[in-house]
Amino acid sequence: MSAAVRVAVVGAGWAARSIWLPRLASLPGYVVTALVDADPRASAAAADLAAAAARYTGADQLDPAAIDLAVVAVPNHAHAAVASGLLRRGIAVFVEKPVCLDAAQAAELAEAERVGGAVLLAGSAARYRADVRALVDAAATVGELRHVDLSWVRARGVPDAGGWFTDRRTAGGGALLDLGWHLLDAATPVLGRLEAEHVAAAVSGDFVNDPTRRAGWRPDADTRERAHGDVEDTVRAFLVTRSGVSVSLRASWASHEVRDTTVLTVEGSRAVVRLRATFGFSPHREGGSTLTTTRAGVTTELDPVDEPIGSEYDRQLVELPALLRDPSSRGVAIAEAERAVALIDRIYTSARATEPTTLGTGSRP
């Protein structure tokens, strides 16, 4: 691998143009050598962000000898297929969450990684936030783990409403697969390998087709007439692990709230640690991050952990080259993805069994 990681960005949509291409261009350890998108309009829209990159219409046109890493930023349903094709050709892959949508896709990725000899790395930035890392450190002081509460509630922020993001065939799911994946990933360093003995869940879709609830920070969130979304905008789940730890999870693309808030709480036998922040890029933010610990009725605020919005993506890219070089990285992302999709499937299965009579303007999972 050359001193600078030669990168091909596959997919030139919002995520590539707003998150990955600007950061790859600004970091000295990377050079974008190729841009892949079948849509010439998307490719043209990203041209200024990758002026020196060769352009292709398909990932199969990439030369394995000319790149060190492919960043896969295509719609969810294409993640596994595109990543598998690249891995089989010996091209290392960094794929956005969700890495895959089901167990079959996870198996396909594992086989492709084995056959091609290249590594798959997963893009879920929440665990790279400075405030989340501070929470994980503080959680080590709570004693025996009893309960973890994970909540990310947006005031309004349905992504690409009426587009592929709210179509179950192309997205695989709604707020659970999107925000919920981030929450579960952020909690992984605290919970370890989450093996749920019991799962109960409910979903709703009261806002998914309301044009006033669309994500205003995304250019595709406009007031045009769009297709009817058929995924949930809210999921509420309660899990109990095999070791007896309870986990509550709420993820909402939209709600009745005024501000977007992310709250992660870790309760133990000796103390409670709570992080209050706002994940993501939404302008409907509550302010900075606060991290507190409570022991015997006394709450103490820990050192501030604020940082610029999006810093977690920079940090993830800074740490990526070392993961590419580390042989122990092989298989790790796929194993975590297998566990994540298995748990998400159990949550959806529980929600189908207990869904309410009506889901407002939304649709059943």
Side-chain angles (χ1 to χ4, degrees), residues 48-65:
D48 291 342
L49 298 169
R55 298 193 202 178
Y56 302 97
T57 57
D60 58 342
Q61 299 169 347
L62 294 172
D63 180 2

Side-chain angles (χ1 to χ4, degrees), residues 14-16 18-24 26-27 30 71 94-97 122-130 133 152 154 178-179 182 217-218 278-282 285 307-321:
W14 179 87
S18 300
I19 299 176
W20 302 117
L21 285 171
R23 286 173 168 79
L24 288 166
S26 66
L27 290 171
Y30 293 93
V71 174
F94 175 80
V95 62
E96 288 196 303
K97 63 85 198 156
S124 187
R127 70 170 72 178
Y128 288 86
R129 291 177 59 98
R133 290 186 167 183
W152 184 353
R154 287 177 178 168
D178 181 26
L179 308 186
H182 279 298
W217 65 92
R218 291 180 60 109
T278 304
F279 286 9
F281 296 94
S282 170
R285 312 181 74 80
E307 59 183 351
I309 295 172
S311 294
E312 61 269 32
Y313 294 94
D314 295 300
R315 188 172 294 111
Q316 190 171 24
L317 286 176
V318 167
E319 297 182 16
L320 202 60

